[in-house]
Amino acid sequence: MACNASKSPLLRIISKRGYSAQASPKAAGRGNEIQTTTLPNKLVVATADSNLPVSRVSVVFRAGSRHESYDNLGIAHTLRVAAGLTTKRSTAFAITRNIQQIGGSLTATGDRETIAYTVQVTSDHLETGIRFLQDVATAPAFKPWELSDSVTRIRVDCASIPDDVRAVELLHKAAFRSGLGNSLFCPSHNIGRLSSEALQHYFASNCTTNRCAVVGVGVEHRLLAGFAQNFDLESGAGKDVASKYYGGAEHRKDKSGRLAHVAIAGEGGSAANLKEALTFAVLQCAAGAGPSTYRGNVNGTIGKAVTSALGSEVFSFSALNASYSDSGLFGFALSTDAKNIGKGVEAGVKALKSANVSAEDVNRGKAQLKAAILHQHGTDGGLLCDMATQAALLGGAHGASELIAVVDTISQADVQAAARRAGSSKLSMGAVGNLGHVPHVTDLV
């Protein structure tokens, strides 16, 4: 089975033999009605229509890396890698062979808050697909010898992390310390040391009905609700780990080479407050979320400041925004030649602290965000990902029209207030590479 280390949602089914589907005349993402039901066992079910002959179903748990303790750091990564191994009802061979026989795919993805198991199959094979999805998501066996065989795969995952991603991981550690500061990837000292019993305990504690959502695109809502009612999961809310933004710290990892990668951020908005989260998303676009065209110019208040400081130097820049259920980060990420990184970082921090966002930037940011929302909800995969995150964390899902209506209510004053909040908080920094010219976060004023 495939395993993706993370996912990036925008803010993170009809009948033959009971489960197969037919095409809907509605275009995906345009006027799609999202139906949400909370079952008596507190499990959330959400569905949306699709015009494609492919059905997608995800089982999502609030069991991401933020719920790890110091002793079991990396267990969420191990849990993702264990997807598709032998379960209590099916062998790993049976899962792989049957999914391949119907031309489907079964993947496990995760972020700091959730782990999602997703099956994608043609609608006439949905019954088979969700049967094995249920096995993988609700009845893992965690055989010790299979976990031992998976150690190499975890090592490859960790060795393949790009340096700019490592910088963002270190930024989270500096900002939150634990909880949201826990990495998406298993630390080297815990690779191969997490036992079958530890995984069983983590699964039983975090993968309960109260912490679960089942979402589908191209699936009839009534049928998916019936499917979810048969889950053999423990009940109970489990223990949510609160994360406080601390800031004022940095984590640096020196490496040889000529490049430096830096991620800097202050406190951002929480996804629990929809308008607040979308305001920071508008600010991200207004500050410079990257070129809108291939090899295009970097726009936005922070992007222009960095461009002016670096001149003709080659660099990669993007405003950074991450909204979690109880906190968030807002800042920027920059990669360039190590000799020039210092002046780029200083210019970016100065622009971040200025909290100066023009009406023109706000209007451009709102237009870009609305386009991103429509694009995300205009593909079945993007819609499923967004619905899954919202259903698992917030207990419901918002359609594209609802999100755009909220974006329209955001004013320049709202965006400037968000910018002041991020710029006035204690900054955090993660840096990887040749760091000889990277200033320390305490020197950035």
Side-chain angles (χ1 to χ4, degrees):
M1 297 300 104
C3 165
N4 295 325
S6 64
K7 62 179 180 180
S8 301
L10 180 66
L11 300 179
R12 156 292 239 30
I13 296 186
I14 306 178
S15 66
K16 177 183 175 185
R17 294 185 61 195
Y19 285 107
S20 58
Q22 61 191 25
S24 165
K26 292 184 180 180
R30 299 191 60 184
N32 279 358
E33 180 184 356
I34 296 177
Q35 293 181 269
T36 305
T37 299
T38 301
L39 301 180
N41 60 5
K42 307 302 182 183
L43 190 151
V44 178
V45 179
T47 60
D49 294 333
S50 171
N51 66 327
L52 299 177
V54 175
S55 297
R56 295 171 173 85
V57 179
S58 283
V59 179
V60 192
F61 296 103
R62 295 202 310 273
S65 59
R66 71 173 297 168
H67 303 289
E68 298 170 350
S69 66
Y70 182 82
D71 293 328
N72 64 10
L73 289 175
I75 200 165
H77 185 185
T78 307
L79 189 61
R80 293 194 304 269
V81 170
L85 300 182
T86 297
T87 70
K88 296 174 182 177
R89 294 185 290 265
S90 304
T91 65
F93 175 77
I95 296 168
T96 301
R97 184 181 185 279
N98 281 278
I99 294 294
Q100 288 180 342
Q101 284 291 104
I102 60 175
S105 67
L106 181 57
T107 59
T109 57
D111 56 24
R112 282 182 162 75
E113 303 219 73
T114 63
I115 291 177
Y117 302 90
T118 303
V119 69
Q120 175 178 299
V121 294
T122 54
S123 300
D124 55 331
H125 290 115
L126 181 59
E127 183 177 8
T128 300
I130 63 174
R131 176 161 60 89
F132 286 102
L133 172 65
Q134 182 178 1
D135 278 0
V136 170
T138 67
F142 302 124
K143 302 293 186 182
W145 53 91
E146 291 186 332
L147 293 177
S148 178
D149 291 341
S150 300
V151 169
T152 301
R153 185 174 175 183
I154 296 174
R155 293 190 188 279
V156 170
D157 282 349
C158 294
S160 305
I161 306 171
D163 286 343
D164 54 344
V165 175
R166 288 185 186 275
V168 175
E169 291 292 295
L170 293 177
L171 168 64
H172 280 80
K173 184 68 174 177
F176 298 108
R177 301 180 186 174
S178 59
L180 289 172
N182 294 340
S183 176
L184 296 172
F185 305 94
C186 186
S188 57
H189 65 271
N190 262 2
I191 296 178
R193 297 185 61 185
L194 297 168
S195 66
S196 174
E197 291 77 11
L199 280 162
Q200 292 282 10
H201 176 73
Y202 186 82
F203 183 87
S205 300
N206 294 283
C207 298
T208 63
T209 56
N210 303 54
R211 304 171 66 83
C212 179
V214 181
V215 298
V217 176
V219 182
E220 185 181 341
H221 187 80
R222 176 180 57 83
L223 296 177
L224 193 62
F227 163 66
Q229 285 178 336
N230 295 323
F231 281 8
D232 184 19
L233 291 172
E234 297 289 336
S235 59
K239 182 180 179 181
D240 283 317
V241 179
S243 268
K244 175 185 176 183
Y245 179 86
Y246 292 93
E250 63 182 39
H251 284 281
R252 303 160 75 103
K253 181 177 177 61
D254 290 280
K255 296 181 66 176
S256 60
R258 65 179 186 85
L259 296 178
H261 310 270
V262 176
I264 294 180
E267 185 175 11
S270 165
N273 185 325
L274 183 61
K275 184 173 181 178
E276 180 181 84
L278 290 174
T279 299
F280 273 95
V282 171
L283 178 60
Q284 179 186 19
C285 295
S292 297
T293 59
Y294 182 63
R295 293 185 178 177
N297 292 329
V298 175
N299 292 314
T301 54
I302 302 178
K304 289 177 180 178
V306 172
T307 301
S308 177
L310 294 178
S312 60
E313 297 294 334
V314 178
F315 66 93
S316 173
F317 166 87
S318 178
L320 188 154
N321 176 50
S323 292
Y324 300 104
S325 57
D326 56 355
S327 189
L329 291 175
F330 183 85
F332 65 91
L334 176 65
S335 300
T336 189
D337 189 277
K339 294 180 180 180
N340 303 304
I341 190 78
K343 56 185 180 182
V345 168
E346 290 172 354
V349 169
K350 184 177 180 180
L352 175 63
K353 286 182 171 292
S354 72
N356 181 24
V357 188
S358 67
E360 180 183 3
D361 284 329
V362 171
N363 290 333
R364 177 178 50 79
K366 291 170 69 173
Q368 288 183 343
L369 179 59
K370 287 191 282 189
I373 291 172
L374 290 172
H375 181 269
Q376 179 89 346
H377 285 237
T379 62
D380 285 358
L383 176 60
L384 182 77
C385 180
D386 208 28
M387 286 171 55
T389 302
Q390 293 183 52
L393 298 182
L394 309 177
H398 301 282
S401 59
E402 296 176 78
L403 297 176
I404 289 175
V406 176
V407 172
D408 285 333
T409 67
I410 295 172
S411 65
Q412 181 184 2
D414 294 329
V415 178
Q416 287 181 325
R420 284 194 296 272
R421 174 177 171 180
S424 62
S425 61
K426 293 182 179 179
L427 297 184
S428 305
M429 183 173 75
V432 177
N434 185 335
L435 306 181
H437 297 275
V438 176
H440 290 276
V441 72
T442 52
D443 298 329
L444 295 169
V445 294

